[in-house]
Amino acid sequence: MGCQCSKLSPCCWDSQIKAAVLEAPDVENEGNSEVADIPAFREFTLEQLKNATSSFAVENIVSEHGEKAPNIVYKGKLENQRRIVVKRFNRMAWPDARQFLEEAKSVGQLRNQRLANLLGCCCEDEERLLVAEFMPSETLAKHLFHWEKQPMKWAMRLRVVLHLAQALEYCTSKGRALYHDLNAYRVLFDEDANPRLSSFGLMKNSRDGKSYSTNLAFTPPEYLRTGRVTPESVIYSFGTLLLDLISGKHIPPSHALDLIRDRNLQMLTDSCLEGQFSDDDGTELVRLASRCLQYEPRERPNPKSLITALTPLQKETEVPSYVLMGIPHSGSCTPLSPLGEACSRGDLTAIHEILDNIGYKDDEGVANELSFQMWTDQMQETLNSKKKGDVAFKQKDFGMAIECYSQFIDVGTMVSPTVFARRSLSYLMSDMHREALNDAMQAQVISPVWHVASYLQAAALSALGMENEAHVALKEGTALEAKRNATTGQK
């Protein structure tokens, strides 16, 4: 193994007994640079966030524990095509609406490239929701503990902890040193696979700081004594993350420190890292973890000290994160499907031909609850409107198609994403671009993971001259179609 544990310097376990706090000079910290392309914090309406998440559809849940999570996180998309996540708190989490708004607005002032930044909030009736940047490349927990293709490389693990330390230093410099329940689920990866710290953990739900929800085996010792989170508590949690990255497992700090004391570091080090780091690097990272996990809070380093210690350890600094992670990059050229290609070109004739051939097969599974009265009184007329619309659509009589599909939609006894898609294209053919975009978005509300809806949004946005937004929608349609094909085994 590249790091023979028995060769590690004794200082790595001696220092965990009496570690001095590292006093770091100011370092050139690229993680402190604020980002300019993130919109200012704003308040959203509940209706806006319902539209963005397809009425909080189950398909859009991204919480690690799904619907069983105490506060559920959904992915979504705003009207300007910006992808977001929405954290929906349970009704007991924030009884004081004013406190929630104040806290959210305070966190919302932060803007940094090391954070998954908070974009806004919503506080209507009993609803408490936070809106943040969407990070498409999942969590550190996923890549570290539940990897499918390759274990995380040593160089990437070092990058994760440096970026995390930079995020904590930025927050500290802005007066937000407290971070609640720092763990591997709070570290996210953006579209370039760069690690970011979730801004959700910066929210505290009480003014006295009494908030910490985690397994007691990983809780800072002072929290068990006082019930309070301090900046030093955050450093302790940072130490547990260092252990996660060294070991590839989530092991209790007490157990890890016992292994360090007994010089049994082979049990501590991830076997997947064989040959990837030197004895000195291994020694330094274990020493740093030991310092973070000191029993006495005052003996732990501060974020600046962490940056100073971690910066010289960085490896392969010129290699992009997505390469180190083995993640396909969003900037790479993914071959478009015929529909994606037609939408990218704005070839409405080709789109029409494809939609006509697809028919209504993608409507399978869409719930339509109809009472017996609806069946007897309205169904035949409704189906006739749809049938007439289909005939007109096939014959390229798009004005008639719009009229008939509108009659079908207005009755409201059935919902069909395909009808909205067909009316969307009919609007495009009739140079009614805004109406076309609205219908394409409505199709996605009904069927959140339907790639056709994203493609049609791309075509409508391009027709409206919104090329950047069209590119985003096209990319999302491509991703949804690829995921669908992988699930169904299609090529």
Side-chain angles (χ1 to χ4, degrees), residues 62 64 83 85 113-117 133-147 150-164 183-199 241 244-245 320-330:
V62 292
E64 293 290 341
R83 300 177 75 188
V85 290
Q113 62 184 11
R114 298 293 183 248
L115 294 175
N117 295 281
E133 292 181 281
F134 175 68
M135 299 289 115
S137 301
E138 303 188 279
T139 67
L140 176 60
K142 168 75 172 178
H143 292 292
L144 193 60
F145 306 138
H146 310 294
W147 53 271
Q150 68 174 44
M152 187 178 289
K153 295 180 179 178
W154 177 250
M156 192 64 211
R157 299 187 194 205
L158 290 172
R159 189 173 298 180
V160 167
V161 288
L162 176 60
H163 283 210
L164 183 56
N183 58 52
Y185 294 99
R186 299 282 199 180
V187 181
L188 312 168
F189 294 89
D190 63 22
E191 62 181 6
D192 295 320
N194 287 318
R196 308 256 207 123
L197 179 62
S198 169
S199 55
L241 269 175
D244 290 348
L245 288 155
S321 295
Y322 64 86
V323 174
L324 289 177
M325 296 278 281
I327 294 175
H329 188 229
S330 59

Side-chain angles (χ1 to χ4, degrees), residues 473-489:
L474 188 68
K475 188 165 66 173
E476 183 169 341
T478 302
L480 289 172
E481 187 171 19
K483 188 173 183 179
R484 173 196 179 106
N485 291 344
T487 302
T488 59

